Amino acid sequence: MGNVRGVSVPSPPGRRARLSAPGTSRSSSAAREELRRRLLGLIEGHRVVIFSKSYCPHSTRVGRQGLLGLLVQDCANIFVNKVHMGGCDRTFQAHQSGLLQKLLQDDPAYDYDLIVIGGGSGGLACAQEAAILGRKVLVLDFVVPSPQGTSWGLGGTCVNVGCIPKKLMHQAALLGQALTDSRKFGWEYSQQVKHNWGTMTEAVQNHIGSLNWGYRLSLREKAVAYINSYGEFEVYFAFFKATNGKGQETCYTAAKFVIATGERPRYLGIQGDKEYCITSDDLFSLPYCPGTTLVVGASYVALECAGFLAGLGLDVTVMVRSVLLRGFDQEMAERVGSYMEQHGVRFLRKFVPVEVQQLEKGSPGKLKVMAKSTEGPETIEGVYNTVLLAIGRDSCTKKMGLEKIGVKINEKSGKIPVNDVEQTNVPYVYAVGDVLEGKPELTPIAVQAGKLLARRLFGGRLEKCDYVNVPTVVFTPLEYGCCGYSEERAIEVYQKENLEVYHTLFWPLEWTVACRDNNTCYAKIICNKLDNDRVIGFHVLGPNAGEIIQGFAAAMKCGLTKQLLDDTIGIHPTCAEVFTTLQITKASGLDVTQKGC
């Protein structure tokens, strides 16, 4: 290997020397192991170790030029306090950033106990919990603007461009329906009622701004350092580089890191998509009414946005490649789509866009969308004011230097595999939230996982995040709440003959006087007959589905059975009480429709 800090080690005869000769593999292996132990001993026992190649033509200059000459020729690998620095370029970079000076200290200390990369729900929960436990914590959060230039403040997707603005705009649409219903309940008004997009978005953004400020204030109160910079791992152990909006770089060290960078909307990769289309990143702060809108995708984001836009009186079309709400119960998904269709949303099934052209500039302008069938040669064209892409999201993990420190990611999805304590394959790096492979992408899960991770790392606790039976709600015009298995997944796991499915249509009392949709709301539970009819799937389609599903989710955690539901006294008159009176099974084939108004 050449010279090891003045210690001569035999050099190979050539740059590609054979490691062993036939018949000497055993002795060569022992020699290599002995050499490895010797080198590790040198690294462990010295503050600075420099490995050079004696057969390098530049090594003859070392005696004349000294160590600097060796480094300049990049014929060395340098270790400082057991940290592998690399060659000359990386060593000089470390010097310029201040990392080399830190490593050369007699007892180098980490700048922070914990660095959290990502200021969303999971990252903030983890950072604040760690600070409460007395640790020194740094949070880095940097929002790369969308192709349309949209950016936002601290708080992540949920607060800025997700759950919060989505639910508020969903509420705006529900208020429009309530105005219509109110006439049946005796309210009389003669003035024209219309919706003002600008007033709504201003109010929503003002609320989000207050949340952004609240998060910053909370971090300050807990003494958590916050930097609005883009974070990237360096090759050195426990080192991290932060780059702010002006391109200024600062390096930090930490004992542990948590990746909580979340996801961003995916684009189609066709002509005109990033130039002319928007995503949910842009919609909630759009400074003008989007007008006639094409929503591309059938995810919950797609249907939620299409639903409240239609509820605000806009002309909305949804282009669907395959199925609605992939991963959710498909019977419930089709009922969601049917309700939306009955209330004015058009669906273009089995089509995908192939090109987007701008016909007119404006706020909004006019766009022409060319699309092709997924089942044949048919093509169609349409003109819209706005095209909203909601075809899925990609994890923000591929440009933060994870490969430099060896953190494994799923190359296709960018997701990070972790063990049951959210630890990656690199022991000092953890991850929470939407970047996790195989875990639900939900804000409350990220918050819970972040808090419990901090408690395990710094509080001596052992509790792990429970990813089973997690409730969720799709805020479409008719809300869909669920917990546990879809019917399709339950059949895969337990087999159809071992399941009993109870269901019914129901009619909310509030809808009766208004004469609204008497056979639309639907309740379904899936029970495992082999386990005392334990409820393994819980589904509700109706108003306030989120408020209904929350309590039943807690019951499912406790082992809810069909008999326990039957023994529960319902609150009358409510939608939730229908689950205490379910009698009809799917297997019976009996009619579950309700009488009309």
Side-chain angles (χ1 to χ4, degrees):
M1 301 242 352
N3 299 315
V4 183
R5 206 182 183 202
V7 181
S8 180
V9 180
S11 304
R15 299 183 67 89
R16 295 184 180 272
R18 185 185 299 174
L19 291 177
S20 61
T24 63
S25 60
R26 202 172 281 180
S27 60
S28 297
S29 177
R32 284 198 301 272
E33 180 60 26
E34 173 60 29
L35 180 59
R36 187 185 70 84
R37 283 197 298 266
R38 185 179 178 190
L39 297 179
L40 288 176
L42 290 168
I43 294 170
E44 292 282 340
H46 298 82
R47 290 179 63 201
V48 179
V49 182
I50 302 170
F51 295 89
S52 69
K53 304 170 186 175
S54 59
Y55 52 84
C56 174
H58 300 296
S59 295
T60 57
R61 305 179 188 175
V62 172
R64 184 170 65 252
Q65 295 178 322
L67 174 60
L68 181 60
L70 182 68
L71 289 175
V72 169
Q73 298 302 334
D74 204 16
C75 293
N77 262 297
I78 300 100
F79 287 79
V80 179
N81 272 336
K82 295 178 269 188
V83 174
H84 180 220
M85 305 301 296
C88 90
D89 288 342
R90 289 202 172 275
T91 304
F92 280 126
Q93 288 172 7
H95 171 71
Q96 291 165 359
S97 68
L99 296 182
L100 185 58
Q101 292 87 325
K102 290 179 181 179
L103 282 174
L104 286 170
Q105 296 171 7
D106 288 330
D107 184 22
Y110 295 116
D111 296 321
Y112 293 93
D113 298 305
L114 176 68
I115 290 180
V116 177
I117 308 103
S121 303
L124 291 176
C126 184
Q128 293 184 84
E129 193 69 19
I132 290 171
L133 293 169
R135 300 299 173 152
K136 189 177 181 183
V137 184
L138 169 67
V139 171
L140 291 100
D141 187 62
F142 186 84
V143 179
V144 177
S146 75
Q148 299 300 325
T150 307
S151 189
W152 51 85
L154 186 64
T157 296
C158 176
V159 167
N160 294 281
V161 289
C163 319
I164 299 300
K166 175 267 302 289
K167 180 72 181 291
L168 291 173
M169 292 190 176
H170 172 63
Q171 174 64 13
L174 293 181
L175 290 172
Q177 179 65 60
L179 282 171
T180 302
D181 290 352
S182 69
R183 292 186 183 275
K184 295 279 188 173
F185 284 88
W187 288 95
E188 298 177 357
Y189 48 90
S190 56
Q191 67 270 31
Q192 182 183 3
V193 178
K194 63 178 182 178
H195 183 262
N196 186 301
W197 178 272
T199 300
M200 178 187 68
T201 54
E202 182 181 3
V204 168
Q205 290 304 311
N206 285 342
H207 177 66
I208 291 172
S210 70
L211 296 177
N212 296 149
W213 173 248
Y215 282 126
R216 296 190 67 165
L217 185 62
S218 181
L219 291 179
R220 187 181 306 166
E221 290 173 345
K222 294 179 177 64
V224 176
Y226 161 62
I227 301 174
N228 181 217
S229 294
Y230 188 87
E232 182 180 355
F233 285 96
E234 288 296 332
V235 291
Y236 324 111
F237 173 79
F239 282 79
F240 199 73
K241 180 176 69 177
T243 306
N244 65 18
K246 297 180 180 179
Q248 299 169 329
E249 296 180 358
T250 308
C251 290
Y252 302 94
T253 60
K256 292 178 174 61
F257 295 84
V258 172
I259 301 167
T261 46
E263 297 181 308
R264 296 291 292 273
R266 185 179 304 145
Y267 283 80
L268 288 163
I270 63 173
Q271 184 176 333
D273 62 346
K274 290 187 177 180
E275 293 85 352
Y276 308 124
C277 300
I278 66 171
T279 68
S280 56
D281 280 358
D282 311 294
L283 178 63
F284 302 113
S285 59
L286 201 66
Y288 54 83
C289 179
T292 300
T293 302
L294 173 67
V295 178
V296 180
S299 64
Y300 72 90
V301 175
L303 298 191
E304 287 174 339
C305 292
F308 72 67
L309 290 175
L312 299 177
L314 303 184
D315 186 334
V316 179
T317 300
V318 179
M319 186 176 288
V320 181
R321 180 178 62 87
S322 54
V323 300
L324 303 181
L325 298 177
R326 183 178 298 279
F328 289 86
D329 187 284
Q330 283 302 291
E331 179 186 24
M332 305 301 290
E334 285 302 319
R335 288 181 179 275
V336 167
S338 176
Y339 182 88
M340 292 177 66
E341 222 161 7
Q342 292 169 21
H343 289 262
V345 177
R346 286 189 296 275
F347 283 83
L348 287 173
R349 301 244 185 178
K350 307 295 183 181
F351 277 93
V352 292
V354 294
E355 185 179 351
V356 180
Q357 296 178 356
Q358 186 180 61
L359 300 179
E360 294 179 14
K361 293 183 178 181
S363 299
K366 280 189 179 180
L367 302 172
K368 182 168 77 170
V369 178
M370 281 75 73
K372 68 175 183 180
S373 170
T374 61
E375 298 182 327
E378 183 183 0
T379 61
I380 58 174
E381 294 182 356
V383 177
Y384 307 92
N385 297 121
T386 300
V387 177
L388 171 67
L389 303 182
I391 57 172
R393 301 172 69 83
D394 292 320
S395 298
C396 302
T397 57
K398 294 187 176 180
K399 293 183 179 180
M400 55 186 304
L402 294 178
E403 72 285 352
K404 297 179 185 177
I405 60 171
V407 173
K408 292 179 181 178
I409 67 170
N410 183 314
E411 290 300 326
K412 183 177 180 181
S413 67
K415 297 277 190 176
I416 302 175
V418 295
N419 59 20
D420 63 348
V421 290
E422 286 80 42
Q423 186 180 43
T424 72
N425 64 298
V426 174
Y428 62 94
V429 180
Y430 298 78
V432 296
D434 291 358
V435 296
L436 298 189
E437 185 174 54
K439 300 293 190 292
E441 299 171 8
L442 296 168
T443 295
I445 285 184
V447 171
Q448 179 82 332
K451 285 182 179 179
L452 294 180
L453 174 58
R455 291 170 187 171
R456 289 195 306 273
L457 293 178
F458 306 116
R461 302 280 288 273
L462 299 176
E463 295 93 337
K464 302 172 186 177
C465 185
D466 185 358
Y467 293 95
V468 178
N469 284 339
V470 176
T472 189
V473 172
V474 182
F475 288 101
T476 37
L478 189 57
E479 297 175 8
Y480 165 39
C482 60
C483 184
Y485 286 106
S486 66
E487 191 169 346
E488 294 84 1
R489 181 61 179 153
I491 291 171
E492 287 180 16
V493 175
Y494 295 100
Q495 306 304 316
K496 187 172 184 179
E497 62 271 19
N498 298 321
L499 302 175
E500 196 73 86
V501 180
Y502 295 85
H503 69 146
T504 188
L505 292 162
F506 65 95
W507 197 12
L509 179 65
E510 298 86 345
W511 289 21
T512 57
V513 171
C515 294
R516 285 180 58 192
D517 308 298
N518 64 320
N519 276 303
T520 302
C521 297
Y522 183 66
K524 175 170 77 172
I525 61 170
I526 305 162
C527 300
N528 180 8
K529 292 193 288 187
L530 300 181
D531 187 14
N532 196 32
D533 272 342
R534 183 169 60 88
V535 179
I536 60 172
F538 195 103
H539 303 266
V540 58
L541 183 66
N544 303 305
E547 309 301 333
I548 295 172
I549 204 77
Q550 185 68 76
F552 287 110
M556 288 179 68
K557 289 282 187 184
C558 299
L560 179 67
T561 64
K562 176 63 168 63
Q563 187 60 54
L564 287 171
L565 276 176
D566 292 344
D567 294 343
T568 301
I569 304 300
I571 301 171
H572 184 73
T574 65
C575 294
E577 71 173 317
V578 70
F579 287 99
T580 68
T581 59
L582 287 173
Q583 297 298 325
I584 300 176
T585 66
K586 274 194 172 183
S588 73
L590 296 176
D591 184 23
V592 293
T593 57
Q594 305 294 305
K595 298 300 181 181
C597 179

